[in-house]
Amino acid sequence: MRLGTRTTLLLATALVAAGSAQAQDAPSAGGILRVATFEPLCLDLNEGSSRNSQTAMQDVYDRLISKNLDGTFHPWIASAWEISEDGLTYTFTIRDGVIFHDATPLDAEAVRVNLQRWVDDKNAGGVPVASVAADGATVTLTLSEPYSPLLHDLSEPQLGLVSPTSMTEFSKEARCEGGPGVTAGSGPFRVAARAVGQSLTLERNPDYNWAPADAAHEGPAYLDGVELRFLAEDAVRVGAVESGQADIATVIPAIAVPAIEANSALQLLRTEQPGIPWSFWLNQSKAPLDDQRVREALRIGVDFAGLVQAVFLGTATPAYGAITPGIPWAYVPEFEGAWRFDAAAAQALLDEAGWVPGADGIRVKDGVRLALRDVSAVNWNNQQRELFAQGIQAGLQAIGVEYTRDVLDFASVDQIFNNNEYDIVDTSQAAGDPNLLFGAFFSTQTWAVSNTNWGFVNDPALDAALETGLHSADQDARAAAYREAQQIINDNAYLLPIANNQVLVAARSSVNGVIFHNSGQIGSYHGTWLAP
Amino acid sequence: MREILVRILAGVAVLWAAASLAFVVLQLLPSDPVQVIYGADSTVTPEMRDRIRAEYGLDLPVHQQYANFISRLVQGDLGESYQQRRSVVSIITSELGSTITMAVLAVGFAVTLAVLSALLTAGRRGFWRWLISGIELVAIATPAFWIGILLLTFFSFRWAIFPVMGDSSWRSLVLPVATLGLSLFGTLSQVMRQEMDMALEQPFALTARTRGLSEWALRWRHALRHALIPGLTISAEMFGALLGGAIITETVFGRPGLGRITLQAVRNQDIPVVIGVVLFAALVFVTINILVDLLYRLIDPRVQRAGA
């Protein structure tokens, strides 16, 4: 079960090797990159933000700071920044000479307008912002309490900088629909055309001269443009890249991997999904999962590792911690193999907890059947999870647990969460910072305050570790805090992590310089080029 | 004329009923629109919740909300999408062109094929009838999703005749239209042939034959008319349903259209869009029904006489 880390290392080496092989040829400029992917709904990320829109628009909107895959921060629109001793005041120096696509200068005032809008409209995504001010070439952001993931948040595509002129000149409706002249960022590509439901065409910004300090090259992008074609059907995206109609297809299903790997005209790019693995959040506010023995019985009562291999076909590893290998500095490889499938031990735990087999084989206690309701949202689901859940159902049936899984639309699951009518929530959460655990496990962060502590975990020791991780500015201290948090989560079986999934992208062999962003999605096309 | 006016008034009543029903269902939905409007990606403070409720008029008493809803409808305002933050009318109109194009072409394709196959095979036995009936059965039994994937696999991925990317000319329409048209063709063709079979056994057919009318002329001039009545009814219904959106075909081929919008809206409980599409579909059905009634009179003089 140590395989997980080794696979990660091999993958990392493979990516580096691919990078150096490409470096032998000089990048050639020109060409349109055709990408088969999903549609962003709203092109103004402040109005309506989804992973699809963030990925599609990351090359249109620049951010203050760039976060490298290795977790380090680099200057971008902010040429420098300072953090006060108490961790409350962040002062950013704004780079000179940057202009938006609509010729508005990107100065300190423009940055302030963007940050203020984020505070006003989005409550700053939960960041405790006290004030935002601009003075000359600097922007000062003051917090009411220390919040160490701030730089990370500012590096995310969601906080892409939008031209203040377009904010005042166009309605939010027009900005959401977007289009040339309306959608105005400062990135290496600008919007050339949008056909809603069909495609989004980006063209090179010839003036671009402010790439992040960790970018592969300075100056404008190599590509003339990028055409994003929206094909929601897995088989069609794969077919498009296999037949050469697309250069890149995103979100490749595991089942298509062998054919792509065997095809010499294609390359399969993969990275670990950062964040919380695909897991079961276990509702501890009520019976039966308020009993730790039952939670532990679930963890060892099903052959999760075997199912991961059978269903994900080598595109995922069994998960044993609350953070995936996609955030290397917070991932704890020592947890691998922390528990193993043992149906007899699981049965013994359930016996001990007072659940005895009833007439139909399902266990009963005080006249109540051991039936667990798992709830997930349509948008969080995919075919593989569907298949996997069938395996779980069979496995749990064998130890006398009835398991049902309801996959519903978002508003329905919202209601079920509000009414506490579930035992399990299954999903994964993607983000490049382990502070994700705060929203998922801190005692106050329940669904009632729009966060995801679905388990109603209420553990002072865990709260303390998560708070240290949130407030400490020291990376080593943060890593230690999140390690402790994950240890507590495992010791008490607060979460049942299942699979660390990989993000899979297929590309034609002629495509070079594709990178991943630390959100686990495909990254900027600024350094991407097509071999002639 | 008076009859048509009555039909139109009845149509308006149907629309009002559809709108009211949609409003009632909306009230019965347990979910909180604010969470839908905001999405799951941000924390909503109670003040923000109140502000959104006020912005969308969700804080008003129910009867007030209903009055506002109906009066906005009368003015042709269907509200604003929770998800896209655009007006529902502009969403529907921007998708409508592509939906109509697809619906017209697909129904045209299906009707042409069905008329041809009915003319060729009605009242006959043998290989051709056997073959065409077989094709109809396959077309009916195969889900549109699968027909689409098969057509794509061969005609786009393998032979690159009709691209699925990078082309918005007529070529990009061929496969989606064929997919939609094939699944309509099966039913239509079966019904029309059955009608023609029956017509060809009627006494008038015998009379016409004894008059020396050729077999083709008999089929073309007389029997086809009989088959057109049910054919028209079914085609009109199909057309109406297609204007509500061809969800599967649009998803497989990544095309814009009302079906894709509906699917998205239902998934995300974007209520204003769902209601908008429901009302639009009701409007289409009412209109089509009136038009079809008028067309019957042209095709079948008996209807006109009975109505007069």
Side-chain angles (χ1 to χ4, degrees):
Chain A
M1 280 306 121
R2 301 264 151 188
L3 191 73
T5 19
R6 279 188 49 203
T7 321
T8 324
L9 281 174
L10 283 174
L11 286 171
T13 330
L15 281 175
V16 170
S20 57
Q22 286 157 7
Q24 292 168 359
D25 305 320
S28 57
I32 305 281
L33 185 77
R34 301 157 304 162
V35 183
T37 186
F38 291 95
E39 176 165 32
L41 271 185
C42 179
L43 300 195
D44 184 328
L45 303 182
N46 188 64
E47 297 300 343
S49 180
S50 67
R51 204 175 305 159
N52 294 341
S53 51
Q54 289 162 18
T55 309
M57 302 307 287
Q58 62 183 333
D59 276 328
V60 174
Y61 302 119
D62 287 331
R63 276 87 74 190
L64 272 182
I65 292 165
S66 166
K67 185 180 183 185
N68 198 286
L69 273 179
D70 63 13
T72 54
F73 295 102
H74 301 268
W76 194 350
I77 298 305
S79 54
W81 59 88
E82 261 175 52
I83 307 171
S84 67
E85 201 61 40
D86 58 7
L88 291 178
T89 310
Y90 287 66
T91 311
F92 301 94
T93 308
I94 305 305
R95 185 176 180 144
D96 203 27
V98 179
I99 48 166
F100 286 108
H101 300 151
D102 62 358
T104 308
L106 200 179
D107 51 15
E109 177 58 18
V111 173
R112 188 198 65 79
V113 169
N114 273 275
L115 293 177
Q116 192 61 51
R117 179 169 88 139
W118 172 56
V119 173
D120 293 342
D121 294 356
K122 290 267 163 170
N123 195 23
V127 180
V129 177
S131 69
V132 185
D135 179 24
T138 62
V139 174
T140 308
L141 202 143
T142 316
L143 301 176
S144 53
E145 55 181 293
Y147 179 87
S148 53
L150 180 66
L151 292 182
H152 166 81
D153 289 1
L154 292 174
S155 76
E156 287 286 286
Q158 202 177 339
L159 273 182
L161 300 165
V162 179
S163 158
T165 313
S166 84
M167 284 185 211
T168 50
E169 206 163 305
F170 300 101
S171 66
K172 62 182 178 183
E173 175 172 321
R175 271 180 282 126
C176 241
E177 187 168 359
V182 179
T183 308
S186 58
F189 291 94
R190 62 191 176 204
V191 174
R194 183 183 190 195
V196 175
Q198 202 153 354
S199 63
L200 176 70
T201 312
L202 308 177
E203 62 185 6
R204 172 171 45 204
N205 173 5
D207 304 327
Y208 195 70
N209 195 23
W210 41 84
D214 60 332
H217 74 109
E218 281 292 316
Y222 296 128
L223 295 164
D224 288 336
V226 179
E227 190 202 335
L228 304 168
R229 174 79 170 92
F230 312 131
L231 296 170
E233 203 50 57
D234 287 351
V236 179
R237 281 196 313 283
V238 172
V241 74
E242 277 177 342
S243 63
Q245 298 184 47
D247 299 305
I248 289 181
T250 64
V251 195
I252 298 298
I255 193 91
V257 165
I260 291 168
E261 282 184 322
N263 188 335
S264 62
L266 296 178
Q267 46 181 328
L268 185 75
L269 310 170
R270 44 169 110 198
T271 189
E272 294 286 339
Q273 173 83 57
I276 299 179
W278 181 49
S279 309
F280 278 179
W281 269 251
L282 305 172
N283 184 348
Q284 290 138 56
S285 70
K286 59 180 186 180
L289 295 182
D290 57 345
D291 188 332
Q292 186 175 337
R293 290 168 296 196
V294 181
R295 300 201 297 270
E296 282 178 19
L298 288 189
R299 192 160 69 178
I300 59 171
V302 174
D303 183 9
F304 285 104
L307 280 172
V308 166
Q309 188 50 44
V311 174
F312 292 111
L313 305 168
T315 64
T317 52
Y320 294 98
I323 289 292
T324 72
I327 311 178
W329 63 272
Y331 177 67
V332 187
E334 288 75 25
F335 291 154
E336 285 170 25
W339 56 83
R340 63 177 65 240
F341 173 50
D342 187 342
Q347 306 235 35
L349 277 168
L350 292 173
D351 289 339
E352 193 190 316
W355 294 92
V356 292
D360 60 351
I362 299 298
R363 290 168 182 270
V364 182
K365 181 180 175 182
D366 304 328
V368 180
R369 284 157 59 84
L370 186 46
L372 299 175
R373 184 191 193 193
D374 177 9
V375 174
S376 193
V378 180
N379 305 16
W380 306 339
N381 195 37
N382 58 42
Q383 268 176 338
Q384 283 145 20
R385 289 179 183 177
E386 206 78 65
L387 195 63
F388 202 110
Q390 289 170 18
I392 293 176
Q393 189 172 36
L396 288 178
Q397 179 90 30
I399 59 165
V401 179
E402 185 180 271
Y403 167 83
T404 51
R405 181 167 187 260
D406 295 328
V407 180
L408 304 164
D409 63 279
F410 184 72
S412 302
V413 297
D414 174 48
Q415 196 57 26
I416 290 169
F417 296 160
N418 282 329
N419 295 346
N420 192 3
E421 291 166 343
Y422 60 94
D423 301 296
I424 297 169
V425 174
D426 83 86
T427 188
S428 57
Q429 291 186 355
D433 191 279
N435 182 46
L436 205 51
L437 295 178
F438 185 86
F441 298 101
F442 194 82
S443 55
T444 58
Q445 300 301 304
T446 58
W447 191 255
V449 296
S450 302
N451 235 323
T452 63
N453 182 1
W454 288 300
F456 296 96
V457 174
N458 189 345
D459 184 328
L462 180 56
D463 280 1
L466 292 174
E467 241 165 1
T468 307
L470 185 61
H471 293 157
S472 171
D474 177 50
Q475 181 83 348
D476 293 336
R478 292 193 76 203
Y482 289 119
R483 185 194 176 98
E484 193 194 338
Q486 291 183 76
Q487 184 74 58
I488 296 171
I489 290 168
N490 276 0
D491 288 347
N492 298 281
Y494 288 145
L495 179 83
L496 171 40
I498 300 173
N500 299 313
N501 288 93
Q502 287 165 4
V503 179
L504 303 167
V505 170
R508 304 291 300 175
S509 311
S510 54
V511 182
N512 297 279
V514 176
I515 56 167
F516 284 101
H517 180 252
N518 58 57
S519 64
Q521 301 295 302
I522 204 163
S524 168
Y525 294 124
H526 175 246
T528 304
W529 54 279
L530 295 166
Chain B
M1 239 5 251
R2 209 176 128 251
E3 201 193 335
I4 293 175
L5 199 68
V6 171
R7 296 292 312 250
I8 289 176
L9 283 178
V12 172
V14 168
L15 287 179
W16 172 74
S20 303
L21 192 65
F23 183 83
V24 170
V25 171
L26 171 60
Q27 296 305 311
L28 293 178
L29 275 182
S31 54
D32 181 2
V34 175
Q35 195 63 53
V36 180
I37 293 168
Y38 245 79
D41 65 333
S42 48
T43 42
V44 188
T45 61
E47 304 86 66
M48 292 162 86
R49 211 169 260 269
D50 291 343
R51 202 178 67 202
I52 297 165
R53 297 191 76 85
E55 194 182 320
Y56 284 85
L58 297 167
D59 53 345
L60 300 170
V62 176
H63 66 272
Q64 188 86 47
Q65 285 190 46
Y66 179 72
N68 287 352
F69 172 67
I70 295 290
S71 79
R72 277 193 292 114
L73 272 189
V74 173
Q75 298 162 38
D77 178 2
L78 291 168
E80 187 189 84
S81 156
Y82 291 162
Q83 281 257 314
Q84 301 190 45
R85 309 290 164 96
R86 293 166 57 198
S87 85
V88 174
V89 172
S90 85
I91 290 176
I92 291 182
T93 46
S94 70
E95 303 288 327
L96 197 55
S98 142
T99 299
I100 290 180
T101 312
M102 284 270 284
V104 167
L105 290 175
V107 170
F109 176 80
V111 168
T112 312
L113 277 189
V115 166
L116 279 178
S117 94
L119 280 174
L120 279 173
T121 61
R124 286 181 183 156
R125 291 181 190 287
F127 174 74
W128 287 106
R129 177 161 177 144
W130 174 81
L131 178 73
I132 292 184
S133 308
I135 294 176
E136 286 162 7
L137 279 178
V138 171
I140 293 173
T142 314
F145 171 79
W146 189 236
I147 296 182
I149 294 279
L150 279 181
L151 289 179
L152 271 177
T153 303
F154 288 101
F155 295 99
S156 181
F157 300 155
R158 188 159 301 176
W159 297 317
I161 306 171
F162 301 112
V164 70
M165 284 189 60
D167 185 346
S168 46
S169 68
W170 61 273
R171 282 166 169 272
S172 69
L173 272 171
V174 173
L175 293 183
V177 165
T179 304
L180 260 187
L182 275 179
S183 38
L184 304 180
F185 154 74
T187 321
L188 193 59
S189 175
Q190 280 195 332
V191 171
M192 287 182 69
R193 183 176 41 243
Q194 205 182 351
E195 280 297 314
M196 273 185 83
D197 277 346
M198 270 156 48
L200 287 172
E201 282 168 17
Q202 299 278 320
F204 79 80
L206 189 64
T207 320
R209 282 196 182 104
T210 51
R211 271 198 287 129
L213 199 66
S214 78
E215 181 65 21
W216 268 109
L218 170 67
R219 280 162 188 264
W220 179 250
R221 288 200 214 137
H222 296 286
L224 184 60
R225 275 206 179 190
H226 285 259
L228 275 184
I229 293 281
L232 181 66
T233 313
I234 296 181
S235 320
E237 248 168 49
M238 285 170 168
F239 183 69
L242 284 188
L243 283 190
I247 295 181
I248 288 167
T249 315
E250 286 170 14
T251 309
V252 170
F253 291 92
R255 292 189 57 82
L258 285 177
R260 189 186 54 90
I261 286 294
T262 312
L263 181 68
Q264 236 168 40
V266 169
R267 263 193 170 196
N268 299 314
Q269 284 217 353
D270 193 343
I271 301 300
V273 177
V274 176
I275 291 187
V277 173
V278 166
L279 289 180
F280 175 75
L283 178 70
V284 166
F285 271 100
V286 166
T287 317
I288 284 184
N289 267 315
I290 294 175
L291 288 180
V292 167
D293 274 2
L294 291 175
L295 271 179
Y296 281 161
R297 290 150 198 266
L298 288 179
I299 295 172
D300 190 345
R302 287 174 303 179
V303 178
Q304 205 166 13
R305 255 176 269 130

